Amino acid sequence: MKKILLGTVALVALGAAPALAADLAARPYTKAPAYAPPAPIYNWTGFYIGGHIGGAFAGDNSIGTGVTASNNGKFLGGVQAGYDWQFAPNWVLGVEGQYSWLSGTNQSVSFPGVGGTFVYADNQRGLASVTGRLGYTWGPALLYVKGGWAYADYTSSLTFNGVGVAVDSKTDGYTVGGGLEYLFAPNWSGKIEYQYYDFGNVTLAPGFTAKNDEHVVKAGLNYRFNWGGPVVAKY
């Protein structure tokens, strides 16, 4: 009797096992989250050096008595260095110094006078500036304005029948401008920039006063160091 009872219990247990297994919920499958690389961190804080090329042309071509000089575009090339500090968190404050060498005659004109011919010429040899910069950045781009002290190395001359006066001068003035700079690699940025220089008037002779100013458009390339701040860009 005991053996019959044990056998019956075993049969019931074997029959119930599949039903219990069916009642158990299948183990859910959870898909692993997709890998998302960290977003690049762009930081403009730090020192930089670089170079630029572009063109320059005079703004005011009048030299008095109704005479207007021709405006000859000039090629320029130069160097720059500076420091930027990023804060708050999308604003960038900086200081920059630069020097540009110019080639060719900027303005020239010949016009008749009583008993002869006047010839006026202006030759701008070099432009320098030390400016502050204030910009707004979004990611790798920086839109900025600049302004400050400027310096010119130039010669202006007015001759009559080959005889006259030449003003060879180095003078101070001011400059304002703006541009767009872009970080295209961890330590490299490129920029396009406009800058206006004003050095006042040059008096060549009574009644002959020329405005000494320049409009400059240039493209530049900067190498950015980690000195004084974190890495410029982390990828």
Side-chain angles (χ1 to χ4, degrees):
M1 184 67 180
K2 184 177 180 179
K3 293 180 178 179
I4 295 173
L5 182 59
L6 290 173
T8 302
V9 172
L11 290 173
V12 171
L14 290 173
L20 291 173
D23 290 338
L24 294 175
R27 183 177 180 182
Y29 171 73
T30 303
K31 184 178 180 181
Y35 171 74
I41 301 174
Y42 300 95
N43 195 313
W44 291 86
T45 299
F47 293 92
Y48 63 88
I49 61 172
H52 60 267
I53 58 173
F57 58 94
D60 187 351
N61 299 336
S62 173
I63 64 171
T65 65
V67 178
T68 299
S70 63
N71 193 347
N72 304 314
K74 303 177 68 175
F75 174 81
L76 66 84
V79 293
Q80 69 268 353
Y83 178 82
D84 286 325
W85 174 55
Q86 185 171 343
F87 66 99
N90 296 99
W91 292 94
V92 177
L93 185 65
V95 60
E96 182 179 80
Q98 68 175 18
Y99 190 90
S100 303
W101 291 271
L102 289 81
S103 64
T105 300
N106 204 29
Q107 293 175 299
S108 62
V109 65
S110 298
F111 53 97
V114 178
T117 301
F118 288 96
V119 177
Y120 165 73
D122 171 60
N123 180 24
Q124 197 82 255
R125 294 185 295 266
L127 295 170
S129 65
V130 177
T131 58
R133 295 206 315 171
L134 177 63
Y136 183 84
T137 179
W138 61 100
L142 173 68
L143 185 66
Y144 63 88
V145 294
K146 62 187 296 186
W149 170 83
Y151 163 87
D153 178 9
Y154 69 96
T155 299
S156 293
S157 64
L158 180 67
T159 62
F160 181 71
N161 291 341
V163 179
V165 60
V167 178
D168 191 357
S169 181
K170 298 173 174 60
T171 188
D172 298 327
Y174 74 89
T175 180
V176 293
L180 177 67
E181 192 164 356
Y182 191 86
L183 283 165
F184 61 88
N187 292 94
W188 292 94
S189 64
K191 69 174 182 177
I192 53 174
E193 182 178 274
Y194 164 78
Q195 203 165 344
Y196 172 73
Y197 297 83
D198 192 326
F199 302 102
N201 295 323
V202 180
T203 300
L204 301 170
F208 293 95
T209 299
K211 178 75 171 178
N212 186 8
D213 64 350
E214 293 287 339
H215 296 273
V216 173
V217 178
K218 53 185 177 287
L221 183 67
N222 288 325
Y223 181 82
R224 294 183 165 269
F225 301 91
N226 299 333
W227 308 338
V231 176
V232 173
K234 298 178 181 178
Y235 294 88

